[in-house]
Amino acid sequence: MSRLIALVDSNNFYVSCERVFNPKLEGRPVIVLSSNDGCAVARSNEAKALGIKMGTPAFQMRDLIEKHQIQIFSSNYALYGDLSNRVMQTLQNFTPEVEVYSIDEAFVGLTGEVSDHALSIMRTTVKRWTGIPVSIGLAPTKTLAKIANRIAKRGEGTYILRDPDQVLENLPVGEVWGIGRQSTKKLTAYGITTALKLKQADLAWIKRQMGIVGVRIVKELRGTSCLPLELIPQPRKSCCVSRSFGHPVTDLEDLREAIATHTARAAHKLRRDNLSASLLAVFIATNRFNADLPYYRNSGTVGLSAPTNHTITLTKAALKALGPLYRVGDHYQKAGVWLTELTPAHEIQQDLFINHKSCEKGRKLMEVMDALNSQFGAGTVRCAAQGFEQSWRTKAEMRSPRYTTRWDELLIVP
DNA sequence: TCTGGGGTCCTAGGACCC
DNA sequence: TCTGGGGTCCTAGGACCC
């Protein structure tokens, strides 16, 4: 029995999430902005038709927005994350072979004869149960499923790739999954301009030019699966929290608040995933687009004496790392914290020099803090180092309500 | 005025060891 | 003048993804 892979991909996912709770947005141009209301990260088909490209900065779209009455939203990750879970759970209803690949995509393993009708049922069920429209492409490998999905998206919403070569011949090589800008440039220089030419390329030559990654892509195009479904999510290896500031920051005190806040978020993520970190890095940067001011970025690393996910321990380390990075007079635009060398929290090597009693106390404190913050909202209990005014905070001026995760933001039907 | 955030994997080259 | 060979580990940086 043949094993096939379906790629289920939400259409314009963030925009679709906004539409679920705001049906007036249907049929109108809608854009969702990146964090800090910086640039377009999701566009409705109507917005795409107006020529708005992925990643266009908000200030460059001002006239178009005004002229066409485009609806603009800040990113609302609480909402998108929750709706994503609902979509994934719906897919799990059909088969346990679901690999959650990103917030809006899943690879689904299917066996035997799969009809267009079956895919269509999957699609309409997701729409009916979650309100999110998806497209489904089916093929023998992940790379081909990605291509099938593109066709599904432009057509009926589902597509089974039965005659790959005909499709590959009309697909620019840069559209193949895993072929980025650099590889496109290199391949094009050698006359490999379409996916079909890539599929027919000499494997030894590909190995020399693109390494093992390139070989895998070519084999996948030929129908040999090299990228298996990963049904059990691998534990993450690092955890990074960084944000742009709502406006340029010059004070060390503001930087300290931001770093403490990002550290608290990162530590919380670790506790949620039951991980501890051994290494912490802090980085700060000025605006690289501003030609009038010097561009400065720097980072500093601190090793922890024992792996930890304790907010206060990590915050102390982070603030220590920040100190030497700061320069008076620079206009900072961004700061972040990066935790690495992650290990499962329960497998930690006992440290001879650690006071176990205070360690246990610290763990309980975090437990209570997480419980309070979960019940009453993030930031209810926090370190004083995180500040109160937080004037540096990231912009999110057009965020919709967190309809599904906050009681006080429920949709009210008059 | 205004340009996102969070990841992974691979490779080359250096340090080091026997 | 001659100056091994093979292996591992680590790190930085590149490339790519959504």
Side-chain angles (χ1 to χ4, degrees):
Chain A
M1 234 179 333
S2 61
R3 171 68 141 32
L4 295 169
I5 294 178
L7 175 62
V8 182
D9 186 308
S10 307
N11 305 345
N12 317 326
F13 182 57
Y14 296 172
V15 168
S16 297
C17 290
E18 297 294 343
R19 281 177 168 165
V20 170
F21 291 91
N22 191 349
K24 281 186 195 148
L25 299 175
E26 218 61 58
R28 305 179 60 177
V30 182
I31 295 174
V32 176
L33 299 177
S34 64
S35 148
N36 215 30
D37 296 340
C39 48
V41 287
R43 307 148 295 148
S44 71
N45 290 344
E46 298 79 5
K48 287 177 189 172
L50 293 172
I52 289 167
K53 300 267 183 294
M54 189 73 171
T56 309
F59 68 91
Q60 285 176 13
M61 305 185 286
R62 202 132 300 169
D63 292 345
L64 268 180
I65 291 169
E66 177 73 21
K67 186 171 167 201
H68 300 281
Q69 291 295 298
I70 302 176
Q71 304 295 302
I72 305 291
F73 291 90
S74 306
S75 289
N76 183 347
Y77 289 104
L79 178 66
Y80 309 154
D82 188 57
L83 291 187
S84 172
N85 286 339
R86 296 184 190 193
V87 170
M88 301 306 171
Q89 276 164 23
T90 306
L91 294 176
Q92 300 262 11
N93 258 281
F94 288 92
T95 165
E97 299 216 355
V98 176
E99 174 189 337
V100 177
Y101 178 71
S102 73
I103 194 165
D104 71 334
E105 278 175 62
F107 290 105
V108 178
L110 297 171
T111 320
E113 286 296 310
V114 180
S115 62
D116 289 284
H117 183 60
L119 296 185
S120 177
I121 288 175
M122 199 183 264
R123 180 167 169 271
T124 49
T125 305
V126 172
K127 171 76 171 145
R128 195 168 300 145
W129 291 10
T130 69
I132 299 293
V134 297
S135 302
I136 307 180
L138 187 79
T141 69
K142 283 184 172 178
T143 305
L144 289 172
K146 275 268 183 187
I147 292 167
N149 186 280
R150 280 172 50 97
I151 303 171
K153 199 144 275 177
R154 277 184 304 216
E156 305 295 307
T158 63
Y159 186 81
I160 299 176
L161 191 61
R162 294 195 171 88
D163 183 5
D165 283 7
Q166 196 204 329
V167 171
L168 298 186
E169 192 175 3
N170 295 307
L171 189 70
V173 72
E175 307 280 328
V176 175
W177 190 41
I179 303 294
R181 264 216 310 273
Q182 300 304 319
S183 303
T184 303
K185 220 193 296 175
K186 187 181 279 183
L187 290 169
T188 307
Y190 287 100
I192 298 177
T193 50
T194 67
L196 184 61
K197 285 183 178 159
L198 180 60
K199 172 181 170 176
Q200 294 163 344
D202 177 61
L203 268 186
W205 183 83
I206 290 288
K207 174 82 176 43
R208 279 198 303 276
Q209 297 295 323
M210 302 176 60
I212 188 73
V213 178
V215 172
R216 281 205 283 254
I217 293 171
V218 171
K219 284 190 176 173
E220 285 250 322
L221 287 176
R222 294 179 184 176
T224 307
S225 180
C226 299
L227 306 167
L229 278 185
E230 294 186 20
L231 302 179
I232 300 152
Q234 296 301 304
R236 65 161 96 228
K237 293 172 178 164
S238 69
C239 169
C240 177
V241 174
S242 74
R243 292 284 180 281
S244 296
F245 299 124
H247 59 80
V249 160
T250 52
D251 281 359
L252 178 58
E253 204 38 53
D254 283 337
L255 280 182
R256 287 173 58 90
E257 283 184 15
I259 288 296
T261 304
H262 298 340
T263 306
R265 284 212 53 176
H268 178 250
K269 278 194 198 181
L270 290 194
R271 293 194 294 274
R272 186 196 60 195
D273 297 348
N274 203 23
L275 294 167
S276 288
S278 298
L279 201 64
L280 175 149
V282 165
F283 56 91
I284 55 176
T286 64
N287 189 342
R288 67 186 193 280
F289 295 104
N290 192 336
D292 301 331
L293 290 170
Y295 179 44
Y296 167 70
R297 60 180 172 151
N298 206 346
S299 67
T301 311
V302 188
L304 288 322
S305 62
T308 182
N309 56 28
H310 191 256
T311 296
I312 297 169
T313 310
L314 289 168
T315 302
K316 280 182 186 159
L319 293 180
K320 195 174 125 195
L322 171 65
L325 307 179
Y326 175 73
R327 300 196 315 194
V328 176
D330 279 314
H331 290 59
Y332 294 100
Q333 190 246 348
K334 185 178 183 173
V337 173
W338 193 42
L339 302 176
T340 51
E341 296 189 4
L342 305 186
T343 46
H346 55 271
E347 273 178 23
I348 290 169
Q349 289 248 336
Q350 297 296 335
D351 185 322
L352 283 177
F353 302 103
I354 275 186
N355 177 339
H356 294 289
K357 226 176 195 174
S358 77
C359 214
E360 180 59 17
K361 237 169 115 182
R363 201 186 54 75
K364 279 193 178 139
L365 176 64
M366 290 301 110
E367 220 167 74
V368 171
M369 195 170 86
D370 289 343
L372 286 171
N373 285 337
S374 150
Q375 188 173 349
F376 299 107
T380 304
V381 184
R382 58 179 192 267
C383 295
Q386 292 177 232
F388 296 91
E389 298 267 315
Q390 301 193 324
S391 59
W392 42 268
R393 265 202 172 278
T394 302
K395 275 187 277 192
E397 288 167 351
M398 294 154 289
R399 197 184 62 202
S400 52
R402 290 163 286 189
Y403 300 105
T404 62
T405 55
R406 296 286 285 238
W407 287 113
D408 51 349
E409 296 182 22
L410 277 182
L411 179 67
I412 294 174
V413 181

